[in-house]
Amino acid sequence: MARQKEAVLPEEQIFYPPERFARQANVKSREIYAKAQASPELFWALQAERLDWFRKWDKVLEWDPPFARWFVNAKLNACYNCVDRHLKTWRRNKAALIFEGEPGDTRVLTYWDLYREVGRLASALRKLGVEKGDRVAIYLPMIPELPIAMLACARIGAPHLVVFGGFSAEALRDRINDAGAKVLITADGGWRRGKIVPLLRNARLALEEAPSVEKVVVVKRIGQELELDPQRECWYHELVAEESPCSPEEVDSEDMLFLLYTSGTTGKPKGIVHTTGGYLVGVTATLHMTFDLKEEDVYWCTADCGWITGHSYLVYGPLANGATVLLYEGAPDWPRPDRFWQIIDRYGVTIFYTAPTAIRAFMRWGEQWLDGYDLSSLRLLGTVGEPINPEAWLWFYQYVGRGKCPIVDTWWQTETGMHIIAALPGITPLKPGSATVPLPGLKVDVVDKEGNPLPPGEEGLLVIKEPWPAMMRTVYGDEERYVKEYWGRFPGKWYYFSGDGARKDSHHYFWILGRVDDVINVAGHRLSTMELESALVEHPAVAEAAVIGKAHEIKGQAVVAFVTLKDEVFAEIKSGKRSWQAMEEELKAHVTAKIGAIARPDAVYFTAELPKTRSGKIMRRLLRAIAEGKVLGDVSTLANPEVIAELKRRYGDQE
Ligand code: ATP
Ligand code: MG
């Protein structure tokens, strides 16, 4: 298929909901916005009816800024809502989890199976001495035992902290210590690109300096010969063998459901605290609205459970809605770059939620990898994690969605717990690169430094002006940080500050410009990293780009671009058909033509990879430090440290 290039600004391109989609959508009328705005509390109370409560609330919201309590004095259990209540209906025999391991092994768990597994582990954890309120660390690959462990903790009221299986021993140790976890659930290993990730080995290293952990439960995933330490370690399968499901603990709406450390794009990770009632209402309701979830969907979210996306939109949201959830253990390019398309074809996936970083990788590998796969089951696509470049949006729309699937770009954060800005796919016209408008019941705005609202067209800070049910309640062990960092930015106004910059357009659509700390200021002109990078990605040679502002004596900052080229272009340069220098000049001219002379990069650096967090986000702060020859700061969440060493060697400031 030929690539279609259109020379229009993304803001001018509008994609209306396909009529067939609109007709069957969960939300068909814009009335929902007006109704929610008239009384957000009533709106959320109605959404709360989606759940089963042991005791209803006395009050929907108690707002003592910046502290919120939602569904005050209500009692419920998240695990009961995700599992037990479905057993009373025909869903008992519905597939809850469809699992595919990286080596190709598969497993299907019905809701009944899930109940048995979760309930038995919950009983076993109780016997290990885990009581309500005790923290349990989970360090597992993406296998069914991961959601099972999360739900088992929820069942007994023990907050979990999931640590991404790709993290190192030190990262695990720090998180365990910060949370004071009593039990760790891990595995003998996991599969990643055909290699074994030595989880137990890392865990043992971590525990050398994590005294709070009393017991370690080990899932047998790899099956190598292995001796466990009988004092502290036990096999998962032996532990649960004799157990039967315990009854779910009745917890308060405001009891902690989990603790999760942010991905660390901007600095040191912090423990974000989420509670039970408001969180579960928020994720259950938003998934139903934004992804138009239906009983018969096969829903696939490619995020790892180590991130908030995995918590809210792989485990709690989908299972509370009684959905069929696909779970895949491995990498998208193993054994070949067509693995995802094979999975969609094989299981008839209908909703596919992934990240811009993955989409840019698919573009780089080329659309030929989609050939021969039947993707016609897909009816909705979603993205999250970073602003999606319009070029990547259009590729996703055309090649994966075949021009028929709405793309719901969801802006939200670990801290927000649930989607905040996102389309309602049956009614919201889409613009590639914009997350569109805030969801019903949410008050989001773009403001200046003093917190005054800005008119459309002007760039400012993205804030949320009213509390919402799934909002974080505090930073674990650091309330001051919660108050100052998130709510203390505008004295006299209790606005939640996201850390992101944004602009509204004339239709009041939100355009996320990237993190405020990353905004570039060239001779008094503010340039957004997102816009510069999107311009670069639009160039046919470019696969991915990261732009930073490097300190400059005269201009304040100068634009420096780090660029990854498409595989075939790289091959042409290697073979001498094109030169690096000509490529650099071409890209500089391209940015000038797209945005203006002020944005012309001073330098374009080519690199095989960009430094990313383990959740796939570009770490511009490290690129800036390299270009300016500064200390790198916290790098514990970096996925590819070798890239940093290489970039430093080649482009590091020599001063
Ligand atoms: P840390 O807060 O530790 O630096 P992080 O911000 O990367 O890490 P997350 O909570 O996983 O951790 O990511 C939220 C951020 O991701 C948002 O603040 C925003 O910058 C970006 N983001 C997420 N989704 C979108 C989206 N759809 N469009 C634009 N940006 C997004
Ligand atoms: Mg953040």
Side-chain angles (χ1 to χ4, degrees), residues 262-266 270 413-415 486 496 498-500 515 617:
T262 55
S263 58
T265 308
T266 49
K270 41 199 177 265
Q413 309 177 297
T414 309
E415 295 88 338
Y486 294 102
Y496 169 86
S498 65
D500 287 352
R515 300 169 195 267
K617 294 174 203 242

Side-chain angles (χ1 to χ4, degrees), residues 12 296 361 373 386 468 547:
E12 292 164 23
E296 55 282 5
Y373 290 109
E386 288 180 292
W468 64 102
V547 172

Side-chain angles (χ1 to χ4, degrees), residues 298-335:
V298 176
Y299 171 89
W300 185 19
C301 165
T302 66
D304 192 283
C305 285
W307 317 122
I308 189 67
T309 306
H311 283 61
S312 301
Y313 297 109
L314 198 158
V315 178
Y316 290 110
L319 296 177
N321 275 297
T324 294
V325 177
L326 197 123
L327 188 70
Y328 168 59
E329 178 187 24
D333 55 349
W334 188 264

Side-chain angles (χ1 to χ4, degrees), residues 10-16 393 429-432 507 509:
E11 286 182 32
E12 292 164 23
Q13 246 178 323
I14 298 182
F15 292 78
Y16 291 93
W393 196 102
L430 306 171
K431 301 187 190 188
H507 296 115
Y509 274 42

